[in-house]
Amino acid sequence: MAGVVHRHHHFARRGYRQRVYVERTKPLEQYTTEELYVRFRFGKADIEYLVNLLRPKLQHRTQRSHGLSVEDQILIALRFYAYGTFYQVVGDYMGVVKSAVRDVVRDVSIALASLVNEFVSFPKDNQIAQAKRSFFLLGNMPNTIGAIDCTHVHIQAPRENEWEFINRKGRHSINVQLVCDADLIITNCIVKWPGSVHDARIPRESALYRDLQTNRPDGIILGDSAYPLLPWLMTPFLTANTPAQARFNTAHCRARCAIERLNGVLKRRFACLNYLRAEPQKACNITLACIVLHNIATKRNVPLCADNDAPEPLGDPNQPPAFCQNEQTGRAARDAIVRHYF
């Protein structure tokens, strides 16, 4: 019998189990596109796109007796990402057992995470010119190709090295670094550091940092005062001593708000990122999956529906600077921008 879940009810007196068949839901047949947006964050055409995209990585599971179709797996995972509820709650909604939800979320997350380099890439060539135009329209900030910030994905206390994951607010988390463009497309991500790690350490030990230090980009990235001041990474003046510096700070703030908006959109679209009952590695895979899905949704113009059931994302206050900002080459580059544009 396809489309059913076996649930065994135990009867101690008679010594046998009764097998109960629960009919699986068929969301693509039941709901309109608008209703799918609310329940799964994607419409019918988008879900079909995801099914075709992930079929090569997930279809092996359908060889089992009563196996879940690729479509079923995608829908179960999307429901979890959208609401972040217990596996049992998702299973009851979708008509599958708790263990199946757990396995599906693991497999779909790994499959999506493996595509991160395909869907998350730093702007190149003609993309750079477009990124600069978009940031200038956003905040009158010249020559800008990205904005950088970190956001914390809260997790349950890990079984190993638990202390490493306690952040400044005393909660366990993964510290996730994101770079985005003015259209909220994620162009770089680092998803591996425990919550105790300072924002400034993450870029210094990244491949992006090494690449941009060696091969200066045709443009700048905007960061808050927790980041180093480098020729390609512009931070605001801690104290604006001239009107021109004040204008720079205003433009910097307006343009950099893109990354703050992204962090809010990401956690509103995928409420599971507000708190994951998962060990760090699994939490990282789920986070990467949501990053890939966010870029797919943004590029396909999937609307971000107002959902009163989704928790409001928790803000991440800026970290204090971890070092002196007076890197000479970065200061000279910032002063040159102020002279020429402000």
Side-chain angles (χ1 to χ4, degrees):
M1 294 176 63
V4 298
V5 177
H6 303 309
R7 289 184 179 163
H8 297 93
H9 291 184
H10 294 260
F11 295 86
R13 289 183 180 178
R14 298 185 182 180
Y16 67 85
R17 296 185 301 174
Q18 179 183 9
R19 178 168 286 183
V20 179
Y21 296 96
V22 180
E23 193 70 24
R24 287 192 193 130
T25 59
K26 299 183 183 299
L28 296 189
E29 298 176 13
Q30 290 178 237
Y31 301 122
T32 66
T33 294
E34 288 71 23
E35 291 170 335
L36 289 170
Y37 286 145
V38 172
R39 290 162 175 81
F40 300 96
R41 302 299 187 259
F42 289 88
K44 184 175 182 180
D46 309 307
I47 293 169
E48 290 172 347
Y49 168 83
L50 292 172
V51 169
N52 291 328
L53 176 70
L54 296 176
R55 189 182 305 281
K57 297 178 181 293
L58 298 176
Q59 63 184 354
H60 68 278
R61 286 173 56 86
T62 64
Q63 302 304 313
R64 303 186 202 167
S65 174
H66 307 295
L68 292 164
S69 68
V70 175
E71 180 183 299
D72 288 335
Q73 295 176 66
I74 299 294
L75 288 167
I76 290 167
L78 290 179
R79 180 69 181 183
F80 173 81
Y81 299 147
Y83 284 88
T85 49
F86 291 98
Y87 292 145
Q88 186 68 63
V89 175
V90 176
D92 290 345
Y93 181 83
M94 296 298 299
V96 298
V97 295
K98 174 183 174 181
S99 60
V101 176
R102 182 193 62 231
D103 292 346
V104 164
V105 170
R106 179 198 62 211
D107 292 351
V108 174
S109 297
I110 291 172
L112 284 165
S114 72
L115 299 174
V116 68
N117 291 332
E118 181 178 338
F119 287 95
V120 179
S121 59
F122 206 66
K124 297 178 181 178
D125 304 327
N126 62 319
Q127 296 173 328
I128 290 179
Q130 178 58 45
K132 290 180 181 180
R133 283 193 294 269
S134 297
F135 270 111
F136 190 79
L137 290 172
L138 182 63
N140 292 327
M141 191 70 186
N143 210 34
T144 301
I145 58 175
I148 187 171
D149 200 6
C150 287
T151 187
H152 285 262
V153 174
H154 296 119
I155 62 172
Q156 68 183 16
R159 287 174 297 206
E160 297 180 2
N161 302 321
E162 175 265 346
W163 60 272
E164 290 186 350
F165 294 86
I166 300 176
N167 61 31
R168 291 188 308 123
K169 298 174 74 174
R171 299 184 63 182
H172 298 90
S173 66
I174 304 293
N175 196 359
V176 177
Q177 179 181 282
L178 300 173
V179 180
C180 77
D181 65 16
D183 298 316
L184 308 192
I185 294 289
I186 298 169
T187 58
N188 186 264
C189 64
I190 301 176
V191 185
K192 66 177 183 179
W193 291 96
S196 64
V197 173
H198 192 283
D199 290 2
R201 179 183 171 188
I202 298 176
R204 287 203 306 266
E205 299 192 24
S206 70
L208 178 69
Y209 180 92
R210 292 191 295 272
D211 184 44
L212 297 184
Q213 282 286 82
T214 305
N215 306 298
R216 284 277 302 277
D218 180 19
I220 58 174
I221 298 173
L222 306 180
D224 64 24
S225 57
Y227 288 95
L229 175 61
L230 302 170
W232 53 268
L233 178 52
M234 289 291 108
T235 61
F237 291 93
L238 294 180
T239 302
N241 295 316
T242 68
Q245 290 180 358
R247 289 191 292 270
F248 172 92
N249 275 6
T250 298
H252 185 286
C253 179
R254 287 175 178 169
R256 202 188 71 82
C257 75
I259 190 67
E260 295 178 349
R261 287 171 50 220
L262 166 67
N263 288 335
V265 166
L266 189 63
K267 291 182 179 180
R268 190 169 289 113
R269 175 171 271 144
F270 304 115
C272 70
L273 297 181
N274 288 290
Y275 180 72
L276 286 170
R277 299 172 187 86
E279 287 295 310
Q281 185 56 59
K282 186 171 184 179
C284 288
N285 286 335
I286 291 172
T287 302
L288 285 168
C290 291
I291 287 170
V292 170
L293 287 172
H294 166 83
N295 275 5
I296 291 173
T298 305
K299 291 176 181 178
R300 292 178 64 87
N301 297 313
V302 175
L304 181 66
C305 53
D307 187 351
N308 293 330
D309 292 333
E312 190 70 18
L314 299 174
D316 297 316
N318 293 340
Q319 293 196 1
F323 39 72
C324 178
Q325 276 207 338
N326 293 332
E327 289 90 345
Q328 188 170 356
T329 54
R331 183 173 54 182
R334 186 173 64 181
D335 289 344
I337 293 173
V338 172
R339 278 197 310 274
H340 290 121
Y341 295 101
F342 296 96

